């Protein structure tokens, strides 16, 4: 076994030093009846080159986005990752340490996380960020728990229908009591303001919004924040595509108390949807109620600047059942990757990338809208995604497109049965005009 | 014994750079990425978004590619990592991470796939997940597995939600969970997140869970017991089966915290000795890298009586093809988006395939041998509060060194001067000044000897030159950092 260095001489010497006559003796503390003597029914091990061959064969059973035209989004957006980002993030000095519990020998990871927190705060227009969460959806769930904790006694959270269904499901799973979750209906793709006012009460701990929302719509949410604050509830903004904030007003500007997001777009491969990067930010006053690791700046015994994990008295290893969250490991390497990506992009790059994404999606929306039999159901500005509708079931339309090598989008009927003729389409900087035109042609043929 | 008994430490400050923050290096007008010329009509954000348009672009730093590369390369050099050397962080299982696994995760065939692709186009991904579930179920002696929890504590929360669903189905969710005082902090935090009260039971004088104490705490309101086995002292809970019987007799469930599964592969299958469900940490036992704190993955394995509550989606095999199904009405629901940390799952899959049944069992045997060897070499120089034979890790304390005013933290910091990452310190909480050492199986005897020599040398220094130890470290990039100041004068961003 190439990963086990022990020679038989060494094993003998070590056993002798440990006072055991053989390896079995080391396990004598385990009562005989509790041991499994049959061994494991798992295939035999293999040489590295055989494994590599095998893994390649398994990978070949997938069809990649690059070998098709992909218009899939829905919370996982495909972007170009500059070579320097994967190269740096793949350095084993970042990949193979544990959580930086010993700051003197972990300054690299800690400074990278500090820079990540700083960049995220600038993008989101918020005061404080943690060092990462598992994913946008689990960050949303922890935001719901945090809001309930802060509001002491208020249990209800309101989730809009135009929020990503998987995010909504994750929040519902963690709240685990359906009477504590209210679903704010959507009207023409927007939060139904009248419904919201009738639902808001002194039992509500938080009102959630998604920005841009699940249908791609960029909604003005200042009045929602106002309504939440008048009822002394918190507003939690969910941002599955932070690239949008290159050209859109950030959550901090429209009154979000907590803003969470998905950082998959910030330099990570889509990779079937994970590892993801949960972004978690808040107003400064809420920092001691935040979940997760936070990195802070300090000095060492010689007065030189340095970084440490801080505010750990909020956390499970100190406070146990009274901790602000049960989270321990996070997605530090993903946060480091995002810090590198954001540094590569820079101020103007971020703005330009956002503009290009919006331009491609805008072109695609106009192009598909011009196809006979295609309707755009929501009259509203959209960022990188939009919804179209035809007279045929979305599933059939998408099957026909797939036969032409196009992954044409997401069938909204998957979650909303009354929307089974609607498709959610995404375009990013990786979609060429030619691909978009090809989509329009194939769609026209499919609907003919 | 020591190769060179020169009194010199082996840690080195090396060629390290004082590195300003990325913002301090920013120069307006510089850029690190190029974007292709647009091939679609121009788009005016102000026209489209009106007053929702951002006034000024986010103030990200402006640098050329080379500047960014140097900055993060220099930062990386300030880290101690598993690839640099011995990393005996107890309870964290810092074993060497095979490179083939990371190369597998980067294969475009996997990395360039989308979670909402049609099933027919991601059969490879689904096969990896399905087979990994089978392998993990076999190792745990369980019937079904969910792969989606993103970390160990996320697995615990998933397990607790399933326990709640199980009891709710029987008419009463119950209100309490029993947790030994030696448990990881995540255990009580996960139980509390799931609205359970926590009943702490004290470990016995031998460091083991006492069946009588569990019996006394057990009643009809106890939903489950959470047990780490081997426990956080590195000792096998030999009364596990008896405790499980006591809990089962009153309708409770037995949750096993599988953080220490590296001590059990091929030796004990928890599902066969009384555990009903458990999580495991792929970033510990199954060789996926820790990434400076994540991403990991915390799959949960369950007996068939609990399978109906597993989170959705689930992978179903029909003939030779795999399908994604959400049609499980008793499921607790979804606990994460998409398919969890898929890239991490892929690495663990590669690891298990490479080692195979024999390799996994051998890894466990060598992990236990290494821990016992370190224990034997250090037990005279350091206090060993619990004398039972250890499994994959051993726990000492600073009791003998306290006579000279030296604390565990000082010993940990001094180890850095010798070129080692310190062990886990001050955990478990039941050992005052705990020093928890987990060597893992990927370390050779020479490496263990060098570490033990350093520990013995430090024990000597505690007698002769206590100030040297109290002021450590002196060799790493930074001396002791002021954590109290960081928490008081919060500087969390620039």
């Amino acid at each position: 076994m190439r990963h086990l260095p022990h020679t038989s001489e060494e094993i003998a010497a070590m056993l002798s030093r440990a006072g055991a006559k053989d390896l079995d003796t080391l396990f004598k503390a385990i009562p005989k009846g509790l041991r499994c003597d049959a061994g494991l029914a798992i295939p035999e091990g293999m040489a590295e080159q055989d494994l590599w061959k095998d893994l390649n064969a398994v990978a070949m059973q997938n069809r990649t986005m690059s070998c098709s035209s992909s218009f899939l989004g829905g919370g996982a957006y495909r972007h170009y990752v500059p070579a320097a980002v994967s190269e740096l993030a793949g350095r084993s000095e970042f990949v193979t340490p544990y959580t930086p519990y010993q700051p003197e020998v972990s300054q690299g990871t800690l400074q990278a996380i500090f820079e990540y927190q700083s960049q995220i705060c600038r993008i989101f227009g918020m005061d404080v960020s943690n060092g990462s969460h598992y994913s946008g959806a689990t960050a949303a769930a922890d935001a719901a728990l945090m809001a309930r904790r802060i509001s002491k006694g208020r249990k209800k959270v309101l989730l809009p229908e135009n929020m990503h269904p998987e995010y909504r499901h994750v929040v519902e799973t963690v709240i685990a009591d359906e009477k504590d979750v209210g679903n704010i209906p959507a009207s023409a793709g927007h939060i139904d303001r009248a419904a919201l006012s009738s639902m808001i009460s002194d039992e509500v701990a938080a009102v959630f919004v998604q920005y841009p929302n699940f249908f791609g719509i960029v909604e003005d949410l200042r009045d929602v924040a106002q309504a939440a604050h008048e009822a002394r509830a918190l507003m939690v903004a969910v941002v599955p595509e932070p690239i949008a904030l290159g050209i859109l007003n950030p959550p901090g500007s429209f009154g979000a108390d907590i803003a969470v997001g998905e950082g998959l777009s910030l330099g990570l491969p889509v990779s079937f949807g994970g590892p993801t990067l949960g972004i978690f930010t808040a107003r400064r006053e809420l920092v001691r109620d935040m979940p997760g690791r936070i990195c802070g700046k300090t000095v060492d015994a010689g007065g030189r600047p340095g970084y440490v994990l801080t505010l750990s008295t909020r956390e499970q290893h100190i406070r146990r059942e009274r901790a602000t969250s049960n989270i321990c490991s996070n997605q530090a390497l993903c946060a480091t990757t995002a810090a590198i990506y954001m540094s590569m992009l820079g101020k103007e790059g971020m703005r330009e990338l956002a503009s290009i994404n919006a331009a491609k999606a805008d072109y695609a929306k106009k192009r598909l809208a011009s196809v006979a039999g295609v309707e755009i159901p929501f009259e509203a500005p959209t960022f990188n995604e939009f919804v179209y509708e035809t007279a045929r079931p979305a599933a059939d339309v998408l099957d026909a497109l797939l036969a032409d090598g196009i992954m044409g989008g997401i069938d909204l009927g998957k979650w909303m049965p009354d929307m089974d003729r609607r498709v959610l389409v995404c375009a990013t900087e990786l979609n060429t005009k030619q691909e978009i035109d090809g989509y329009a042609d194939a769609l026209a043929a499919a609907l003919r | 014994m020591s190769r060179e008994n020169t009194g010199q430490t082996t840690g080195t400050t090396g060629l390290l750079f004082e590195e300003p923050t990325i913002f301090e290096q920013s120069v307006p007008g510089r850029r690190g990425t190029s974007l292709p010329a647009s091939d679609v009509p121009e788009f005016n954000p102000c026209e489209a978004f009106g007053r929702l348009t951002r006034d000024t672009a986010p103030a990200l730093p402006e640098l050329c590619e080379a500047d960014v590369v140097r900055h993060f390369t220099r930062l990386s050099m300030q880290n101690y990592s598993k690839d640099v050397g011995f990393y005996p962080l107890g309870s964290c299982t810092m074993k060497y991470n095979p490179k083939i696994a990371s190369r597998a995760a980067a294969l475009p065939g996997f990395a360039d796939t989308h979670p909402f692709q049609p099933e027919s186009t991601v059969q490879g991904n689904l096969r990896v997940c399905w087979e990994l579930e089978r392998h993990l179920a076999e190792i745990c002696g369980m019937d079904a597995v969910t792969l989606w929890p993103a970390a160990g504590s996320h697995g615990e929360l998933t397990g607790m939600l399933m326990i709640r669903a199980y009891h709710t189905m029987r008419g009463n969710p119950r209100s309490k969970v029993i947790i030994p005082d030696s448990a990881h902090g995540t255990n009580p935090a996960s139980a509390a997140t799931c609205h359970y009260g926590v009943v702490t039971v004290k470990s016995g004088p031998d460091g083991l869970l006492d069946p009588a104490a569990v019996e006394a705490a057990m009643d009809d309101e106890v939903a489950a017991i959470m047990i780490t086995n081997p426990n956080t002292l590195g000792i096998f809970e030999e009364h596990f089966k008896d405790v499980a019987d006591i809990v089962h007799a009153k309708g409770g469930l037995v949750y096993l915290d599988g953080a220490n599964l590296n001590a059990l592969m091929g030796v004990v299958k928890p599902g066969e000795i009384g555990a009903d469900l458990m999580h495991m940490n792929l970033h510990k036992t199954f060789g996926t890298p820790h990434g400076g704190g994540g991403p990991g993955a915390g799959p949960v394995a369950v007996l068939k009586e609990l399978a109906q509550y597993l989170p959705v989606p689930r992978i179903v095999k029909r003939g030779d093809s795999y399908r994604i199904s959400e049609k499980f009405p008793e499921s607790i629901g979804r606990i994460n988006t998409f398919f969890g940390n898929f890239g991490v799952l892929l690495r663990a899959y590669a690891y298990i395939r490479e080692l195979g049944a024999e390799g996994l069992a051998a890894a466990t045997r060598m992990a236990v041998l290494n821990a016992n060897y370190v224990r034997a070499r250090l037990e005279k120089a350091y206090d060993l509060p619990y004398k039972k034979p250890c499994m994959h890790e051993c726990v000492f304390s600073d009791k003998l060194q306290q006579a000279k005013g030296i604390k565990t933290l000082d010993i940990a910091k001094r180890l850095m001067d010798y070129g080692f990452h310190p062990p886990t310190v001050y955990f478990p909480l039941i050992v005052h000044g705990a020093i928890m050492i987990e060597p893992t199986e990927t370390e050779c005897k020479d490496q263990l000897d060098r570490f033990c020599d350093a520990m013995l040398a430090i024990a000597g220094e505690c007698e002769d030159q206590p100030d040297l130890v109290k002021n450590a470290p002196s060799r790493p990039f930074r001396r002791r950092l002021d954590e109290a100041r960081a928490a008081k004068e919060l500087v969390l961003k620039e």
Side-chain angles (χ1 to χ4, degrees):
Chain A
M1 251 311 292
R2 67 190 183 112
H3 303 306
L4 300 177
H6 306 70
T7 64
S8 46
E9 291 78 17
E10 286 167 339
I11 293 174
M14 292 166 77
L15 282 170
S16 152
R17 187 72 171 79
K21 74 175 184 341
D22 54 24
L23 286 169
D24 273 350
T25 314
L26 295 175
F27 292 87
K28 65 174 185 281
I30 304 177
K32 272 269 184 279
L34 303 190
R35 294 192 214 174
C36 66
D37 296 324
L40 296 171
I42 284 178
E44 280 307 297
M46 58 211 295
E48 179 177 340
Q49 71 172 38
D50 295 332
L51 174 65
W52 180 239
K53 193 175 165 194
D54 200 77
L55 289 165
N56 274 277
V58 178
M60 296 276 280
Q61 295 172 1
N62 292 329
R63 181 155 140 192
T64 63
M65 287 188 279
S66 306
C67 292
S68 328
S69 291
S70 172
F71 294 87
L72 296 168
Y77 306 102
R78 188 170 62 122
H79 294 291
Y80 179 73
V81 178
V85 174
S86 5
E87 192 83 8
L88 288 166
R91 286 183 67 93
S92 63
E93 297 92 332
F94 286 129
V95 175
T96 69
Y98 204 76
T99 303
Y101 292 131
Q102 297 290 344
E104 297 81 3
V105 290
S106 316
Q107 285 297 298
T109 289
L110 285 162
Q111 186 171 331
I113 297 295
F114 181 82
E115 293 177 1
Y116 161 82
Q117 291 174 182
S118 306
Q119 289 173 316
I120 288 294
C121 286
R122 291 170 184 220
I123 291 175
F124 278 67
M126 298 295 285
D127 300 327
V128 288
S129 162
N130 77 5
S132 73
H133 219 285
Y134 311 133
S135 65
T138 63
D142 241 335
L145 296 175
M146 174 175 161
R148 283 166 30 131
R149 203 167 48 241
I150 290 171
S151 69
K152 295 189 174 62
R154 294 183 176 208
K155 283 196 156 171
K156 195 152 191 169
V157 296
L158 302 183
L159 309 177
E161 208 175 54
N162 61 17
M163 177 167 147
H164 195 304
E166 291 196 355
Y167 283 52
R168 207 165 64 225
H169 294 159
V170 173
V171 176
E172 285 167 352
T173 301
V174 171
I175 298 286
D177 190 341
E178 40 186 78
K179 71 175 184 323
D180 291 338
V181 178
N183 283 308
I184 317 168
S187 153
H190 293 68
I191 288 177
D192 184 328
R193 299 321 207 252
L196 172 65
S197 357
S198 71
M199 296 174 79
I200 209 155
S201 71
D202 59 6
E203 286 172 10
V204 173
V207 177
F208 278 67
V209 296
Q210 181 173 321
Y211 179 78
N213 73 31
F214 185 62
F215 305 122
I217 298 169
V218 182
E219 218 176 319
D220 191 342
L221 295 160
R222 284 175 298 182
D223 61 320
V224 177
Q226 202 184 341
H229 293 154
E230 275 168 12
R232 304 177 73 84
L234 300 183
M235 178 160 98
V236 181
V238 175
V239 183
E241 174 52 305
I243 298 295
L245 304 181
I247 51 172
L248 295 178
N249 261 345
S253 75
F254 57 77
D257 300 289
I258 301 172
V260 299
E262 173 53 62
L264 193 62
S265 285
L266 303 176
L268 300 163
V270 174
S271 184
F272 206 35
T276 38
L277 165 61
I279 295 168
F280 201 112
T281 68
R283 283 194 287 114
R284 170 163 281 277
E285 306 86 271
L286 306 181
V287 66
R288 284 169 203 278
D289 289 296
M290 265 181 32
R293 313 270 186 215
I294 300 174
C295 173
K297 194 169 190 173
T298 184
V299 293
D300 78 350
R304 290 175 302 177
Y307 303 87
V308 295
L309 294 177
T310 191
L311 293 178
S312 51
T313 51
R314 298 165 298 118
E315 292 188 66
Q316 46 74 28
H317 59 282
I318 310 247
R319 190 156 291 176
R320 299 172 83 82
E321 65 268 31
R322 288 182 300 282
T324 57
S325 166
N326 75 328
I327 191 170
C328 180
S329 283
N330 55 20
Q331 311 276 113
L333 184 63
C334 304
T336 302
T337 310
I340 299 166
Y341 178 80
M342 292 185 279
S343 305
M344 288 286 290
L345 211 50
K347 184 178 175 184
E348 289 310 317
M350 175 94 187
R351 194 213 308 258
E352 279 173 33
L353 181 64
S355 293
I356 291 179
N357 276 258
K360 298 273 188 175
D362 189 57
Y363 178 72
K365 183 158 86 169
K366 288 177 177 145
R367 197 67 184 74
L368 298 192
S370 72
V371 172
V374 173
E375 299 288 330
I376 302 292
F378 305 132
E379 259 311 312
T382 51
F383 175 64
N384 68 336
E385 282 181 297
F386 60 92
V387 176
Y388 74 79
E389 179 176 313
T390 73
R392 293 183 50 195
D396 295 354
V397 173
L398 291 171
D399 277 351
L401 291 167
L402 186 64
D404 282 335
I406 299 166
M407 297 182 189
I410 302 170
D411 171 5
L412 288 180
K414 178 175 159 66
W415 300 284
M416 294 161 255
D418 58 329
M419 293 202 190
D420 63 352
R421 291 180 295 109
R422 290 180 179 178
V423 177
L424 179 66
V425 182
C426 166
T428 73
E429 76 278 11
L430 288 172
N431 294 102
T432 60
K433 175 173 180 294
Q434 197 186 354
E435 270 182 5
I436 297 168
D437 292 339
Y439 187 168
D441 295 344
L443 184 58
L447 295 176
R448 213 169 279 141
Chain B
M1 283 316 289
S2 175
R3 282 178 165 179
E4 35 182 315
N5 220 341
T6 58
Q8 293 283 314
T9 59
T10 54
T12 169
T13 47
L15 186 61
L16 290 175
F17 300 88
E18 287 296 329
E19 187 61 12
T21 69
I22 194 96
F23 302 102
E24 290 173 86
Q25 300 178 48
S26 172
V27 175
R30 284 197 183 140
R31 53 188 313 159
T33 49
S34 52
L35 292 163
S38 178
D39 57 359
V40 294
E42 202 167 328
F43 175 83
N44 184 339
C46 292
E47 232 168 70
F49 305 120
R51 63 183 181 193
L52 298 178
T53 314
R54 192 167 185 140
D55 311 331
T56 50
L60 296 180
E62 297 173 80
L63 297 92
C64 292
E65 174 174 327
D67 303 332
V68 176
V69 169
R70 286 198 185 118
H71 175 67
F72 285 100
T73 302
R74 288 174 173 202
L75 288 188
S76 77
M77 293 163 74
Q78 299 170 5
N79 274 355
Y80 189 96
S81 66
K82 185 64 195 178
D83 281 2
V84 163
F86 192 54
Y87 211 126
L89 209 51
S91 202
C92 300
T93 316
M94 292 294 284
K95 60 174 76 178
Y96 171 74
N97 316 124
K99 301 298 176 196
I100 186 72
S102 291
R103 194 201 261 186
L107 264 175
F110 296 119
D112 190 31
T113 57
H114 192 282
F116 292 130
Q117 278 184 223
E119 277 167 351
S120 64
T121 66
V122 288
Q123 287 294 303
N125 290 346
L126 299 180
R127 176 176 152 189
V128 166
C129 293
W130 195 84
E131 288 185 6
L132 180 60
E133 283 180 8
R134 299 322 314 146
H135 296 333
L136 296 177
E138 167 63 15
I139 292 164
C140 298
M142 297 278 177
D143 299 309
V145 170
T146 179
L147 299 172
W148 317 142
S153 56
H154 200 207
E156 291 174 20
L157 177 61
T158 303
M160 282 295 116
L161 288 164
M162 292 176 69
I163 288 168
R164 178 169 276 277
Y166 169 90
H167 288 297
T168 303
M169 189 70 110
R170 278 156 187 76
N172 176 11
R174 303 193 172 200
S175 59
K176 298 181 288 189
V177 171
I178 297 178
I179 300 176
D181 56 1
S182 57
H184 294 106
T186 49
N187 287 186
S190 299
T193 303
C194 205
H195 319 296
Y196 280 120
V198 173
V199 182
T200 305
V201 291
K202 268 191 164 9
S203 312
D206 52 1
L208 294 177
L209 197 49
D210 174 9
V214 174
E215 178 89 68
M218 192 63 210
D219 63 30
D220 294 346
E221 277 301 311
V222 172
I225 187 168
M226 294 180 94
I227 308 176
T228 305
N229 197 10
N231 65 22
T232 58
L233 297 165
I235 305 174
F236 188 83
E237 291 285 2
E238 51 191 72
H239 310 302
F240 189 88
K241 184 83 171 63
D242 305 329
V243 168
D245 290 344
I246 290 165
V247 173
H248 287 149
K250 292 209 168 124
L253 294 171
V254 177
Y255 182 95
L256 185 114
D257 178 331
N260 295 337
L261 185 61
N262 208 43
L264 301 182
M265 292 189 292
V267 180
V268 172
K269 293 183 181 174
E272 292 179 353
I273 67 166
D276 300 295
L277 71 170
M278 64 181 287
H279 81 266
M280 59 217 99
N281 304 68
L282 299 188
H283 47 290
K284 295 179 180 176
T285 311
F286 298 101
T288 77
H290 291 63
V300 176
V302 301
L303 292 180
K304 57 178 180 297
E305 292 74 14
L306 288 164
Q308 59 184 315
Y309 307 108
L310 284 168
V312 288
R314 289 175 65 184
I315 314 284
V316 181
K317 190 179 183 194
R318 294 227 177 88
D320 284 336
S321 68
Y322 301 91
R323 307 210 51 192
I324 303 160
S325 176
E326 307 215 0
K327 293 191 187 100
F328 293 90
E330 314 305 333
S331 163
I332 58 165
R334 186 175 264 284
I335 50 118
N336 205 346
T337 30
F338 315 133
F339 301 93
N341 283 339
F342 177 72
V344 176
L345 305 178
L346 198 47
R347 285 176 172 85
Y349 174 76
Y351 177 83
I352 291 172
R353 293 289 310 276
E354 183 180 350
L355 269 73
E358 279 300 309
L360 294 172
T364 283
R365 284 198 298 273
M366 293 304 110
V368 172
L369 174 64
N370 278 1
N372 277 280
Y373 180 69
V374 168
R375 179 184 183 273
R377 282 212 55 195
L378 299 182
E379 68 184 342
K380 288 205 172 64
Y382 291 91
D383 170 59
L384 187 68
Y386 295 93
K387 308 281 190 263
K388 292 228 160 221
C390 69
M391 296 289 287
H392 66 304
E393 63 191 358
C394 50
V395 179
F396 294 95
S397 88
D398 59 2
K399 195 170 167 187
L400 303 179
Q401 286 70 35
Q402 274 173 17
K404 296 284 177 182
I406 288 166
K407 304 186 300 288
T408 286
L409 191 68
D410 304 321
I411 297 163
K413 300 298 184 197
R414 182 61 179 155
L415 267 171
M416 295 174 185
D417 289 335
Y418 282 88
F420 295 101
H421 193 282
T424 291
V425 291
Y426 300 106
F427 183 81
L429 305 178
I430 56 171
V431 173
H432 186 79
I435 303 171
M436 184 193 218
I437 301 170
E438 180 179 10
T440 83
E441 72 276 9
T442 59
E443 304 306 315
C444 65
K445 179 173 177 295
D446 282 353
Q447 181 71 270
L448 302 180
D449 281 331
R450 285 193 290 275
F451 172 75
C452 292
D453 291 345
M455 284 293 285
L456 296 174
I458 293 169
E461 289 168 357
C462 291
E463 297 294 322
D464 312 335
Q465 311 171 72
D467 286 340
L468 188 63
V469 184
K470 285 181 197 169
N471 294 320
S474 60
R475 310 286 287 173
F477 182 64
R478 284 290 180 264
R479 291 174 55 200
R480 253 183 240 198
L481 284 146
D482 189 343
E483 301 195 19
R485 171 172 161 156
K488 205 165 142 231
E489 299 167 25
L490 287 182
V491 182
L492 307 180
K493 66 171 181 186
E494 185 168 320

